[in-house]
Amino acid sequence: MIPIRCISCGKPVSAYFDEYNSRIADGEDSKAILDDMGIKRYCCRRMLITHVETWE
């Protein structure tokens, strides 16, 4: 489960997670996806890029 907010800055990031995962599965570039979704802060980018789903 991805955290609801970024640990560093507090911006909500969980709303972007489903779209990010589906676009990654389609083979798009991670940088292009995050730029397109308007996620500019490196701390928020880290939250999405490095998240590993551990719960099924």
Side-chain angles (χ1 to χ4, degrees):
M1 293 174 46
I2 190 161
I4 295 171
R5 293 185 175 270
C6 176
I7 294 170
S8 299
C9 69
K11 180 179 177 179
V13 293
S14 63
Y16 301 107
F17 187 64
D18 290 333
E19 180 181 354
Y20 177 77
N21 273 345
S22 65
R23 290 175 70 174
I24 284 290
D26 290 341
E28 289 187 55
D29 181 41
S30 181
K31 180 186 181 309
I33 296 169
L34 294 171
D35 288 343
D36 186 46
M37 289 194 300
I39 300 174
K40 306 244 184 254
R41 296 179 183 147
Y42 64 89
C43 57
C44 298
R45 288 175 172 265
R46 171 190 50 90
M47 294 291 293
L48 291 171
I49 292 172
T50 62
H51 179 71
V52 176
E53 199 66 44
T54 57
W55 182 54
E56 293 183 46

